[in-house]
Amino acid sequence: STSSNATGLGGAWTLIKTQTVSSSVAALDFIDGTSDVVLDDTYETYLIVCCNMHPANSAPELRFHPGDGDFTDTKTSVQWITRMSYSGGGVTVEVDGSNDLAQGTGGQTVGVNVGNGATDSCSGHIYLHGPGETDTWKSYLYDFVSVTANEMEGCHGGGNIQQEGAIDRFRIDFSSGNIDAGSVSLYGFSDA
């Protein structure tokens, strides 16, 4: 189905595009107006769903790069929280300022220590609000879980994109190595 009801929200999510990795790639790009991608003011809120993202290298970070014209010009800042669970039963929760770009222009880390073992991967979602707006601030929220060997890490964050003009593209990649498997889907929310 190309759309589903958003229970309790009075609207519907519409599937815009899914890209599935069938052979190793450096990144997955979604660019407004290219290959049926819509990322403009058609929808007020977009949902990016990453499923079973499997890296070629061991323990890289999964990153989100919003942009307009390229993937390096926007400035992002985030409040970043990580939760780790270890095989021995230990759990830690911490605010981790080291993963906040603090108005930097690189990709924002959304998942950490992603394993490349047969059953390791990273999955989660990003809500991107108002990318078609021409004011300076756009907001995003994310929630991801990474699995590697005997460890699971949950990364949760929310922040802003400081960019005059609309955001018309985003990229998903790993901090090192290729994406060996996984899929990324883009949805738009219609409130009518």
Side-chain angles (χ1 to χ4, degrees), residues 53-63 80-86 92 94 96 98-99 108-117 119-123 144-155 173-176:
M53 302 299 289
H54 189 272
N57 293 355
S58 180
E61 299 172 340
L62 185 66
R63 301 182 302 186
W80 200 88
I81 300 170
T82 183
R83 179 184 67 230
M84 301 173 67
S85 299
Y86 301 95
T92 62
E94 64 182 347
D96 184 349
S98 68
N99 284 298
Q108 177 62 53
T109 297
V110 293
V112 295
N113 297 329
V114 184
N116 68 344
T119 60
D120 298 341
S121 68
C122 182
S123 296
F144 279 80
V145 174
S146 305
V147 176
T148 181
N150 296 320
E151 182 178 304
M152 179 197 75
E153 295 195 34
C155 298
D173 69 3
F174 283 109
S175 58
S176 66

Side-chain angles (χ1 to χ4, degrees), residues 1-7 9-18 30 36-40 42-49 126-128 170 184-192:
S1 170
T2 58
S3 68
S4 61
N5 289 333
T7 305
L9 298 177
W13 288 104
T14 300
L15 175 62
I16 297 168
K17 179 154 184 97
T18 297
F30 287 73
D36 300 321
V37 172
V38 175
L39 187 64
D40 56 20
T42 300
Y43 300 99
E44 185 67 18
T45 300
Y46 288 84
L47 172 63
I48 303 160
V49 179
I126 302 164
Y127 288 98
L128 176 59
F170 68 88
V184 177
S185 296
L186 175 64
Y187 295 84
F189 181 71
S190 173
D191 59 6

